[in-house]
Amino acid sequence: MPELPEIEVSKRVLAPRLRGEVVVSCRVLTPGFCRNPAPSELEPLEGRVIRRISRRGKYLVIELEGRKRLILHLGMSGRFLLDRQGPHARFEIRTLRRRLVICDPRRFGRVLWRLPVLGAEPLDAHFSPASLARILKGRAAPVKALIMDQRLVAGLGNIYATESLFEAGIRPGKAGGRLSAREIERLARACAAVLRRAIRLGGSTLEDEAYLDPLGRRGRAGGAAALYGRKVGRCGHLLRLTRRLIAGRRAIYCPVCQK
Ligand SMILES: [Zn+2]
């Protein structure tokens, strides 16, 4: 949390409002939140026009004139706030008319100059069963860990990986390399469908309300997150937790519908 859909929704809110704005100041509000770039390196951004705002995986990319890029990541619990006040403000970009802030109670968010190495974009036209098959081929790691590995597939975290595997009828602990061609096809389709649906619903706002969009609106996909944090799936079966940890946490699945 937040994952690809929440960043995409944020991007769609921010892009039309910030495009063409002139940066007046770029400030780190909590010392240490932003190491690279160092706070002093942010000064040259002042006076530059914001050309474009895009998304890659779970990262928001702000492109400024003069080929400068600022990469923002919300970590575990961050959110963007546009022209609003909120607690735990860590980083701020002011333009002539706007103020964009990253609020992050747990401080896992980051501001970077460049994107790390990222894997396939699941909503990209090139993301296909064939590309997913190449990613999973020969791998003994659990399929859930593989699709959450940002270097392999960019954008899926715990919530949407859980949902995608449920929708595809595949157990999270199954070795990636042991998926059949048919399962891979179902999974590739499920990942894209689950993410698209979540974007349409404005992302997931869970009970902790950690995620709200930059204008403070709740996402409605949380209500459709059939598995995350529940005991019964939308299939009506009692859900189960894996015994071993997958990607650092116990995974939830339906023992009847997921094979
Ligand atoms: Zn079931």
Side-chain angles (χ1 to χ4, degrees), residues 162 165-166 169-172 227 252-259:
T162 301
L165 288 163
F166 175 77
I170 299 163
R171 292 206 181 184
L227 297 173
I252 193 163
Y253 68 100
C254 174
V256 180
C257 301
Q258 291 173 262
K259 311 278 181 220

Side-chain angles (χ1 to χ4, degrees), residues 19 21-22 30 40-41 80 92 110-111 122 220 256 259:
R19 200 183 301 128
E21 287 284 313
V22 178
T30 299
S40 61
E41 291 177 275
F80 298 110
E92 172 198 73
R110 269 168 294 162
V111 178
R220 290 171 292 125
V256 180
K259 311 278 181 220

Side-chain angles (χ1 to χ4, degrees), residues 3-209:
E3 305 179 21
L4 185 155
E6 288 75 37
I7 305 303
E8 179 65 26
V9 170
S10 297
K11 181 204 86 181
R12 290 180 187 188
V13 170
L14 296 175
R17 291 170 172 86
L18 289 174
R19 200 183 301 128
E21 287 284 313
V22 178
V23 174
V24 172
S25 69
C26 233
R27 288 197 306 144
V28 180
L29 305 175
T30 299
F33 183 72
C34 169
R35 287 190 195 91
N36 178 29
S40 61
E41 291 177 275
L42 295 168
E43 270 165 36
L45 301 183
E46 289 162 15
R48 288 179 197 263
V49 175
I50 296 175
R51 290 285 184 219
R52 187 166 175 260
I53 296 187
S54 57
R55 178 196 57 76
R56 175 80 170 96
K58 302 182 198 173
Y59 295 83
L60 188 82
V61 182
I62 299 184
E63 292 172 36
L64 299 138
E65 67 180 323
R67 295 173 164 232
K68 285 275 184 199
R69 292 207 306 177
L70 214 47
I71 317 287
L72 310 180
H73 189 267
L74 294 178
M76 301 288 292
S77 57
R79 49 179 290 228
F80 298 110
L81 255 74
L82 187 68
D83 304 335
R84 304 169 70 84
Q85 301 292 334
H88 312 294
R90 309 294 182 199
F91 181 75
E92 172 198 73
I93 299 175
R94 275 184 191 272
T95 68
L96 287 175
R97 291 176 298 178
R98 302 281 192 185
R99 178 176 179 254
L100 175 67
V101 169
I102 294 181
C103 290
D104 185 5
R106 293 173 66 186
R107 302 191 197 196
F108 286 107
R110 269 168 294 162
V111 178
L112 307 163
W113 285 125
R114 62 183 66 186
L115 283 165
V117 174
L118 292 170
E121 214 21 78
L123 294 182
D124 196 287
H126 301 292
F127 187 76
S128 63
S131 52
L132 185 59
R134 277 194 296 278
I135 289 166
L136 301 179
K137 194 178 177 190
R139 294 193 185 252
V143 60
K144 187 181 175 203
L146 293 169
I147 61 172
M148 282 174 67
D149 183 336
Q150 301 301 301
R151 294 162 301 180
L152 301 175
V153 180
L156 288 167
N158 199 38
I159 293 177
Y160 298 109
T162 301
E163 282 288 312
S164 300
L165 288 163
F166 175 77
E167 192 133 317
I170 299 163
R171 292 206 181 184
K174 189 163 182 172
R178 293 194 53 209
L179 264 62
S180 69
R182 200 173 254 179
E183 285 174 324
I184 290 171
E185 202 180 319
R186 287 207 308 266
L187 183 56
R189 220 184 301 132
C191 289
V194 162
L195 293 170
R196 284 215 176 85
R197 188 171 60 217
I199 292 167
R200 210 166 53 236
L201 292 170
S204 291
T205 298
L206 303 178
E207 276 123 48
D208 58 4
E209 299 230 320

